[in-house]
Amino acid sequence: MSAPTVARVEGIPFRLPLTSALAWGAHSALSAAEHVLVRVTLSDGTVGQAEATPRPTIYGETTASVLGILAQLEVGLSGTVITDEAGLNRVRNSVVNNHTARGALDMALHDARARAQGLTLFDTLLGPNTRVRPSFILGIAPPEEMLAEARRVVAAGVRCLKVKVGREHERDLRVIRELRAEFGPEVLLYADSNETLTPQSAPAALDAMREAGLMYVEEPLPARNLRARAELHAQGRLPIVADDSCFTPADLERELDFDTFDVLNVKTARNGFTDGLQMLRRAAAAGKRGMVGSQASTGLGTIHAALLSTRAEVTEPCELSFVLKLQDDLLTGGIGFRDGWLDVTSMRELAVDEVKLSRYRLS
């Protein structure tokens, strides 16, 4: 019996409210998770799903652009056998940029391929490290609000915080010191500068972050300042996480050539499984550590990120707890954290709840 082919690709926009806004970088903020559920339907009726997370200030994508590129790619994908991974990737990569649309499409195709064989992604992608240390993205807010949110997520079982910094250095350091005083060494801390420092201010800022007890800092300098980033990394002041500078496998090769980072942050929301796995393996081969990040993904995106987090190349805490910032989710059940860990296998039976999707869909 021949394998089924791709029959339909569709996007369903939805909106989930947050408990509070997420602010980062110089001026970016997110007040709700307005994402797109991407569905691939095969000729035998099998359906694969994933979550696209449009971020206009990061990738230039909007809900409308995600829907538009999915419609364009559907034409090329239609009729392609689901087991023809090379053929599917040729179509998916026939357009550039559109990172979250193409990443979600890749994951939905993986999901459909597994289900067509009577399997799930837990059967085809689960790696050896099924217990993963989750981190929580602590957005920029008044210090008392940041501390209150940190207490809430620590009480929920998370023991690692990624602290957004970059708008006011002294205030950032005060918050970090207060977090350290509040939780002690039990809670791991690192910072995400989102490219807000300068070559002149970065050395002292990284020294201060190290002295405050941070593990590493993500993207301290603008991605366009390649030589300055290489020089800062060579100084060895604080381990550097690559994120905005490594959107694609080609970006990763450039960063490895210039040796700009210590830890690679791969995001399934923009890289999918195909490129995400490739990038983690390439970075590990070059002696770099690996983590899996979140683009403020809701439950379905968290499941997919968690699956990639179980791979052997992933050595650091991963951003798998953004669901704690949602007032509700699309899943049939909740994602639980315990004593600083997430048991990825505990999510095996979770699925998109059609009633909830109907409630939160935008069109």
Side-chain angles (χ1 to χ4, degrees):
M1 183 176 176
S2 59
T5 61
V6 176
R8 186 182 182 192
V9 176
E10 62 181 318
I12 302 172
F14 66 91
R15 183 182 190 275
L16 291 174
L18 304 183
T19 58
S20 61
L22 173 68
W24 72 93
H27 49 71
S28 296
L30 185 72
S31 58
E34 295 192 0
H35 298 167
V36 179
L37 182 68
V38 178
R39 280 182 168 167
V40 172
T41 303
L42 304 184
S43 57
D44 65 353
T46 299
V47 176
Q49 300 186 114
E51 177 183 4
T53 58
R55 291 291 175 268
T57 63
I58 302 174
Y59 308 118
E61 291 177 283
T62 64
T63 296
S65 75
V66 168
L67 297 177
I69 207 67
L70 290 175
Q72 178 173 329
L73 292 175
E74 180 185 37
V75 176
L77 292 170
S78 182
T80 304
V81 176
I82 190 61
T83 54
D84 181 7
E85 296 186 46
L88 294 170
N89 284 329
R90 275 196 300 273
V91 175
R92 191 174 59 85
N93 293 325
S94 64
V95 295
V96 297
N97 302 321
N98 294 281
H99 298 293
T100 71
R102 292 193 301 118
L105 180 57
D106 177 69
M107 292 186 287
L109 289 167
H110 271 80
D111 189 27
R113 184 180 305 114
R115 293 182 186 280
Q117 302 171 63
L119 305 171
T120 73
L121 292 174
F122 284 84
D123 301 309
T124 59
L125 282 175
L126 190 68
N129 302 321
T130 57
R131 289 179 74 245
V132 178
R133 185 179 291 278
S135 62
F136 181 83
I137 302 170
L138 194 62
I140 297 173
E144 61 274 14
E145 293 181 18
M146 295 179 71
L147 284 167
E149 185 164 53
R151 293 185 189 106
R152 180 175 67 84
V153 300
V154 169
V158 176
R159 299 291 185 271
C160 180
L161 301 174
K162 170 178 170 174
V163 186
K164 293 286 189 177
V165 301
R167 295 186 182 179
E168 187 180 337
H169 181 60
E170 289 305 318
R171 190 212 70 112
D172 294 337
L173 288 175
R174 185 168 68 252
V175 170
I176 290 167
R177 293 187 184 108
E178 289 177 359
L179 289 168
R180 176 59 67 217
E182 175 93 16
F183 301 112
E186 177 187 2
V187 174
L188 305 175
L189 299 175
Y190 65 105
D192 184 0
S193 287
N194 285 113
E195 307 182 56
T196 55
L197 298 178
T198 67
Q200 294 73 35
S201 66
L206 266 62
D207 286 347
M209 290 180 190
R210 184 189 66 249
E211 291 167 7
L214 299 193
M215 297 190 296
Y216 23 68
V217 60
E218 188 170 301
E219 297 293 9
L221 296 177
R224 65 179 178 274
N225 292 357
L226 178 58
R227 294 189 184 281
R229 290 192 293 107
E231 291 170 4
L232 182 64
H233 178 250
Q235 294 170 17
R237 297 175 181 274
L238 185 67
I240 292 174
V241 179
D243 177 10
D244 301 345
S245 58
C246 281
F247 284 174
T248 68
D251 291 338
L252 174 58
E253 290 302 326
R254 178 194 63 235
E255 299 304 309
L256 290 174
D257 283 346
F258 281 80
D259 194 19
T260 60
F261 71 96
D262 301 279
V263 182
L264 173 65
N265 187 350
V266 165
K267 292 183 176 176
T268 47
R270 69 164 174 248
N271 299 123
F273 294 131
T274 301
D275 289 353
L277 278 167
Q278 176 188 336
M279 292 172 72
L280 284 171
R281 289 166 178 162
R282 179 69 183 91
K288 305 297 184 180
R289 291 177 277 166
M291 68 166 53
V292 175
S294 169
Q295 206 68 70
S297 298
T298 67
L300 182 60
T302 299
I303 292 172
H304 291 163
L307 282 167
L308 195 66
S309 300
T310 64
R311 310 299 293 194
E313 296 85 359
V314 176
T315 58
E316 308 305 305
C318 296
E319 299 163 17
L320 303 174
S321 61
F322 189 79
V323 290
L324 295 176
K325 203 167 179 67
L326 299 174
Q327 293 186 31
D328 199 1
D329 198 7
L330 297 184
L331 296 182
T332 52
I335 296 173
F337 309 93
R338 185 178 177 85
D339 297 328
W341 296 93
L342 170 62
D343 178 2
V344 178
T345 62
S346 69
M347 300 187 288
R348 181 183 285 271
E349 302 304 321
L350 297 179
V352 172
D353 185 320
E354 293 298 325
V355 174
K356 287 188 174 184
L357 177 60
S358 178
R359 180 186 310 157
Y360 293 113
R361 68 181 297 162
L362 296 176
S363 63

